[in-house]
Every structure is written in structure tokens, then in C-alpha cells.
Amino acid sequence: MPRLSEEQIRQARSVDLLSYLQVREPNNVRKSRGNTNEHYMVEHDSLKMSNGKWFRHSTQQGGYSALDFLVKVRGVPFVDAVQSLTGAYAFVDYKTVPRVHVPKPPPKPFALPKPNRNNDRVVAYLRGRGIGRDVIFRSIQAGILFESDKHRCVFVGKDDKGVARFAFERGTEDDLKKDLSGSVKRFGFNLPPIEPDGHSSSVLALFESPIDCLAHASIHSIGQTGWDGHRLSLGGVSTAAFYGFLERNPQITSVWLCLDNDKAGHEATERIINELLSDKRYSHMRITVAPPPIGKDYTDTTLAIQQATMNKSTISRPKEAAI
């Protein structure tokens, strides 16, 4: 194994991640909306960069340099990472060299997976996650949920014309979670109101995942609250789906932030609030913070409510008379 000098290590640690990406991977970095000092990584949209530091909220990893990123996130051996930033491969600060236009790669074609002949496994899986039958079949009938031929849940996001533009796959037998190739993040999974012109149709509730949207709907169905607004999945903590939805639905006047009860969810909630308050287009918007009352997400809350209901039913059931 080659030996590294202290000067090589010092030089490698002096390279910040944002500068590294702007030179080596310019298509992999974008400026955050509403925050001129923050950038995010396209490959990992929960990774934010500002003031020479970076932090990936989905894995709770952070650092101060491109070297930290290469080792912690991409798993590059320390020696190889240092050599990629120094010596014959020395990193050149993007500010000292002419910017070269790098054309964006052509978009990948989007196509929904082949549906299975029935949705039995998806229904069973979602029922096991606490989702109500009425909510499941409502989603299937709306064409925004189906079972693929590989027995995965497919959550579909559509445009204003009802054309599928986005899809998220969730395994029913494993932990697979992924956006379908060619998906447009601006068209996230949306569970619309039952009554499009109802009193809650101007309200939008935001969640991190499609299943949390269905869980929230199941809770209100069980409680018969009458809440009937839009429910939108961000697909994580990126706001692309949120602002895309607002642009297409100017009737929205109230936003409920129902993100997860963890550090990433709390930070995303704070970020979205600051973005809305600093943007004059949304000065009329009413903001409500409504994290899940039980557990990490609304799926946990749904399961807890169902368990409590079952326990109550068991306690109140009269004992059979002995024969």
C-alpha cells in the first residue's frame, strides 16, 4: 500500500465537497430553493452543502471535505480517495479555470412496470402495514396503485392530464424502495380528495412516503373526521414534488407538514417553513405542523391505533358462560 505524506493528506482535506462536485460532477449538484448559501446533491437529494460543510440527512452522515464524502458515502478507500484529490490527479479549484459546458445526459425513458394479474399481495402487504381496505381500493381504482408482475407495490404520480409521469416501487417481500427510471420528481404520488370541490380541497398534507399518505387517510377514515384534503408524497425530503404541485394547483391555501419524527423530518419541516415564509408567492399560505402523534411516521401511528382498538375490543367483549 503506498504511503501518504502529511502534505498530501492536508491538501486532500482542504478540498470542500461543493467545489469538488462543481468541477468533477457538475450535473450532480443543484442550488437549494430559497437558500442562496445551500446546495444539494442530485444523486443523494438529502445531502446538503453550505459554508464548507456537508450533511446527508437520510443517513445522518456529515463532514467538512470531499475526502470525508468519498470515504464515508461512496466507500472509497482512504488512500485512493487522497490520491484522487492530490498528486497526478490533483484537484484544481473550479474558480481558477474556465467553466466547460457539460451537456446533460438524455433523459431515461419512463414506462410503468407490467402489472400483475391481480393486486392480492399488495393488498395483503398494505393491510399488514395498517392501511384500511377502503383506502387501498380507492387508490387502485384511481390508477395510482397497483401490483407489478414482480409483486411490488407501484405508487404512481400523474400530471394534469392523468398521464403517469412518476412511479415509486416498494417491495412486498423485501426492503426494495426506488423511484422508477425516468420518473419526474415534480409529479409525486398524490392521493386526491374524495370530493374534489369539498371544503378541504384547498388543503395539502405533505408526507415523506406514499404509504404514509395512505396511513393518514386510514386514520381519518377510522375516526370519521371528514378530513378530505390532498395528500402528497415528497419521496423523501426533497421539495420538487411539493412546488410542482403548488404550481399546478393554485387553489391550495393551507399546507400541513406531516413529515417523520426524526432529525431529517424535523429539519425538512423547518426548511420548508422558511422557504414558504421567504417567498412572496406563498405569503397567503397557512402552515400547520402536524407530525405523527405516535411513532416515527404515520404508518406507526396507524398500527398503534389499530392495536389499541383491538385491545379495547378484547377487554369489552363479554366472557362466554362456562358449560
Side-chain angles (χ1 to χ4, degrees):
M1 179 180 295
R3 298 183 62 181
L4 301 174
S5 68
E6 292 185 4
E7 175 58 26
Q8 280 181 295
I9 297 175
R10 186 201 64 77
Q11 183 181 351
R13 290 196 185 282
S14 68
V15 181
D16 67 275
L17 180 57
L18 176 59
S19 297
Y20 173 83
L21 291 175
Q22 287 176 319
V23 173
R24 297 283 180 86
E25 304 175 27
N27 289 326
N28 204 8
V29 62
R30 297 284 186 274
K31 182 174 291 187
S32 295
R33 190 187 188 101
N35 190 334
T36 58
N37 295 321
E38 183 182 80
H39 291 72
Y40 69 92
M41 194 172 180
V42 176
E43 178 185 0
H44 305 290
D45 61 11
S46 73
L47 191 151
K48 311 297 180 183
M49 296 162 280
S50 64
N51 301 318
K53 297 182 291 185
W54 64 267
F55 190 82
R56 188 181 181 192
H57 297 285
S58 62
T59 59
Q60 300 297 296
Q61 294 172 303
Y64 293 86
S65 65
L67 178 61
D68 291 336
F69 169 79
L70 293 174
V71 173
K72 293 180 180 180
V73 178
R74 290 194 169 163
V76 178
F78 182 80
V79 172
D80 294 343
V82 171
Q83 290 184 330
S84 73
L85 297 167
T86 61
Y89 306 97
F91 178 83
V92 179
D93 190 341
Y94 77 100
K95 297 175 183 176
T96 66
V97 297
R99 299 301 297 274
V100 178
H101 175 70
V102 179
K104 292 183 179 181
K108 296 180 180 179
F110 174 78
L112 292 174
K114 182 180 178 181
N116 189 44
R117 60 183 180 180
N118 58 55
N119 296 295
D120 294 350
R121 294 196 192 184
V122 162
V123 173
Y125 170 76
L126 292 176
R127 290 290 292 147
R129 298 293 302 274
I131 310 303
R133 288 185 181 276
D134 57 332
V135 176
I136 295 173
F137 289 110
R138 169 184 160 193
S139 302
I140 292 174
Q141 291 173 0
I144 56 176
L145 169 66
F146 68 91
E147 180 176 330
S148 73
D149 59 348
K150 295 182 179 180
H151 306 297
R152 297 170 180 168
C153 299
V154 182
F155 298 95
V156 181
K158 298 182 178 182
D159 61 19
D160 292 343
K161 297 180 180 179
V163 177
R165 302 288 301 279
F166 171 89
F168 172 76
E169 288 186 298
R170 178 68 168 93
T172 59
E173 301 173 344
D174 54 34
D175 291 329
L176 180 136
K177 300 176 185 178
K178 69 172 185 177
D179 292 350
L180 209 66
S181 296
S183 289
V184 181
K185 201 82 170 179
R186 293 179 67 253
F187 299 95
F189 174 85
N190 167 41
L191 181 64
I194 297 175
E195 299 292 338
D197 299 322
H199 68 280
S200 298
S201 60
S202 62
V203 182
L204 171 65
L206 298 182
F207 303 86
E208 294 188 27
S209 74
I211 292 183
D212 285 337
C213 291
L214 304 187
H216 186 265
S218 299
I219 292 170
H220 284 273
S221 177
I222 294 171
Q224 298 181 349
T225 65
W227 198 98
D228 191 32
H230 291 271
R231 296 174 173 92
L232 178 69
S233 166
L234 297 177
V237 293
S238 168
T239 52
F242 175 43
Y243 291 112
F245 188 90
L246 290 183
E247 290 172 6
R248 299 189 302 273
N249 295 272
Q251 82 280 5
I252 299 298
T253 58
S254 180
V255 174
W256 286 25
L257 302 178
C258 307
L259 278 59
D260 290 0
N261 260 331
D262 56 17
K263 185 175 181 180
H266 296 161
E267 290 182 348
T269 296
E270 183 177 355
R271 170 169 51 85
I272 293 172
I273 291 173
N274 290 333
E275 290 177 2
L276 290 173
L277 293 178
S278 63
D279 194 325
K280 293 182 180 180
R281 293 176 298 172
Y282 308 119
S283 59
H284 65 289
M285 198 74 69
R286 180 178 179 181
I287 305 171
T288 302
V289 178
I294 305 174
K296 174 180 174 290
D297 52 36
Y298 269 94
T299 305
D300 288 344
T301 302
T302 306
L303 289 171
I305 291 174
Q306 287 190 347
Q307 186 61 51
T309 302
M310 290 176 60
N311 293 341
K312 183 177 179 181
S313 175
T314 301
I315 293 173
S316 62
R317 186 182 301 128
K319 294 182 179 180
E320 295 182 1
I323 298 176

